[in-house]
Amino acid sequence: MELAELMTLRPLPGAGLLLTVTGRCPLHCAHCSTSATMASGEPDAGQLRSFVGTFTPEQHPSVLMMTGGEPLLRPELVASLATSARTAGTRTALLTGAFFAGRADRPGQAAAVPERIWRAVTSVDHFSVSLDAFHERETGRAPVFALVRRVLDAGIATSFHLVGAGTDDPYLADVTADIRRTFGDRVPMLVNSLRRVGRAASWATADTALPDPERALPCSMAAWPVVAADGTVVACCNQDVVDRRPAPAHLTLGHIGTDGWPAIRTRVLGSPVLRMIRTVGPANLQHRYGAAGAAGARRGYCEGCRAFGDDPAVLAAATAAGGGPAGALLDRYAARGQAEAGAVALVRRHGCAPYADLVALPGAER
Ligand code: SF4
Ligand code: SF4
């Protein structure tokens, strides 16, 4: 499964599930938005298995994206979740920091990949590695390239997830050119700007700048639920929503200890507020329905959305507008339009625009 196909599914409600396998990570990247350490929390393995076990051939996400922290700290769990998901018809993807690949202080020396980690890597349909200046200080670039080559040679679709300081960051120009030189056209790249880091948030996140509130600006990131490190299932990958508790009620979908996929999917698709966030976006909702002078009106895109609970008028109006068959129809229409626009258009909006073309392999659907 190639990266462009994954990204095309990103705006479709319930088409995917982002799953935090663990919040722990052995690396120490200075930019880590989750401040992940080896002491961070992680979901109960039994609850994760049970939750993925509720996928059925009739009701399952098309894609299960396993993230962290560092998911390959639990390689047996990754492999068993991938196997279980595949039984129901779900394809799987994995995003890693490749802590096992090598060390920056031993340049050029790729480490042998432990067998249990290799089994996990080869159990998924798409393998993605994070790379940026901070990761490179920990793992080096050459060992990560050696790992990606090995995964490619094993017949698994791979991609790089790159983060830079912004469109003009020379690091991005250098690393994207290096990947092209090394791998030709075989490996696509998803390029984001630094503020969008954090593994659960890393498959393109909502823009946090304050847009023109008169315009509808749908949030595609409210389409795939996220299992957080404490097992809570939230509606989007905004890092504050994923990490802070309590999560806003309108962005909370349940918990893997008590809910299965069918219930979560029903809530993703059926919530009138989520439908309106996906259809016109939070800034437009706030502008249309918020109390004059309400704090949310002065906040950024995601910040305003998270604060909807402070302005009951917005929630009440969104509930009325997004309920019933008309709300469902609008939601489907908005999602289909974004999916049909394709992966490059999605990344142009949510990622680092000048590098958006790199998300698709040459000749692939864009
Ligand atoms: S940015 Fe990613 S790889 Fe780096 S410390 Fe945080 S979770 Fe680990
Ligand atoms: S906080 Fe709201 S606007 Fe931001 S990604 Fe989540 S659902 Fe979308």
Side-chain angles (χ1 to χ4, degrees):
M1 181 183 212
E2 290 294 353
L3 179 63
E5 188 185 352
L6 267 170
M7 296 305 292
T8 304
L9 293 171
R10 190 68 181 85
L12 298 177
L17 172 70
L18 288 153
L19 191 148
T20 307
V21 176
T22 177
R24 293 184 298 134
C25 183
L27 299 185
H28 311 89
C29 306
H31 67 319
C32 182
S33 64
T34 63
S35 306
T37 69
M38 287 304 280
S40 300
E42 60 189 15
D44 178 81
Q47 289 187 353
L48 281 177
R49 285 196 182 93
S50 300
F51 182 74
V52 172
T54 65
F55 297 2
T56 64
E58 294 74 34
Q59 281 213 56
H60 58 269
S62 298
V63 185
L64 171 67
M65 168 81 60
M66 290 182 273
T67 68
E70 175 48 70
L72 288 172
L73 285 175
R74 304 177 100 181
E76 289 81 9
L77 183 57
V78 166
S80 82
L81 295 176
T83 304
S84 167
R86 185 170 293 126
T87 308
T90 297
R91 287 179 291 175
T92 51
L94 178 73
L95 178 61
T96 177
F99 68 96
F100 48 88
R103 284 177 38 184
D105 58 357
R106 295 182 196 156
Q109 280 183 36
V113 180
E115 194 47 42
R116 53 199 284 264
I117 289 185
W118 184 248
R119 271 198 296 276
V121 168
T122 52
S123 70
V124 298
D125 300 294
H126 187 94
F127 177 80
S128 191
V129 187
S130 291
L131 202 58
D132 51 64
F134 303 97
H135 278 94
E136 286 202 29
R137 276 176 218 149
E138 304 266 327
T139 60
R141 186 181 296 181
V144 172
F145 277 19
L147 170 69
V148 167
R149 183 172 297 287
R150 189 176 168 201
V151 178
L152 266 181
D153 290 347
I156 295 163
T158 67
S159 61
F160 282 101
H161 184 94
L162 308 170
V163 176
T167 54
D168 299 330
D169 186 345
Y171 172 80
L172 287 179
D174 174 66
V175 73
T176 51
D178 199 7
I179 290 169
R180 274 285 175 264
R181 262 193 313 276
T182 308
F183 297 100
D185 289 337
R186 295 175 72 198
V187 185
M189 301 168 235
L190 176 62
V191 184
N192 271 322
S193 296
L194 192 53
R195 62 194 164 83
R196 299 184 176 95
V197 297
R199 203 137 352 263
S202 57
W203 282 70
T205 66
D207 201 326
T208 50
L210 193 59
D212 174 3
E214 305 227 352
R215 279 185 51 218
L217 195 62
C219 176
S220 335
M221 301 305 127
W224 289 13
V226 178
V227 177
D230 64 353
T232 303
V233 187
V234 293
C236 73
C237 57
N238 175 273
Q239 201 67 54
D240 286 333
V241 176
V242 174
D243 291 341
R244 287 194 194 161
R245 295 294 172 268
H250 64 288
L251 300 176
T252 302
L253 296 169
H255 192 280
I256 56 168
T258 48
D259 299 296
W261 172 252
I264 296 295
R265 180 180 178 274
T266 299
R267 290 170 200 156
V268 171
L269 268 60
S271 158
V273 175
L274 289 180
R275 285 176 181 168
M276 292 307 290
I277 288 173
R278 291 190 294 256
T279 304
V280 299
N284 186 257
L285 283 174
Q286 178 71 49
H287 177 71
R288 282 158 70 182
Y289 305 121
R298 297 188 299 275
R299 292 174 172 151
Y301 190 80
C302 285
E303 200 187 349
C305 177
R306 292 195 305 269
F308 275 179
D310 300 343
D311 193 348
V314 178
L315 286 178
T319 301
L329 190 68
L330 271 177
D331 190 22
R332 275 202 300 277
Y333 183 77
R336 203 175 57 210
Q338 291 172 73
E340 283 173 2
V344 172
L346 188 83
V347 179
R348 199 165 281 135
R349 180 176 156 211
H350 292 289
C352 196
Y355 293 96
D357 280 352
L358 300 179
V359 77
L361 292 172
E365 203 161 311
R366 307 176 80 75

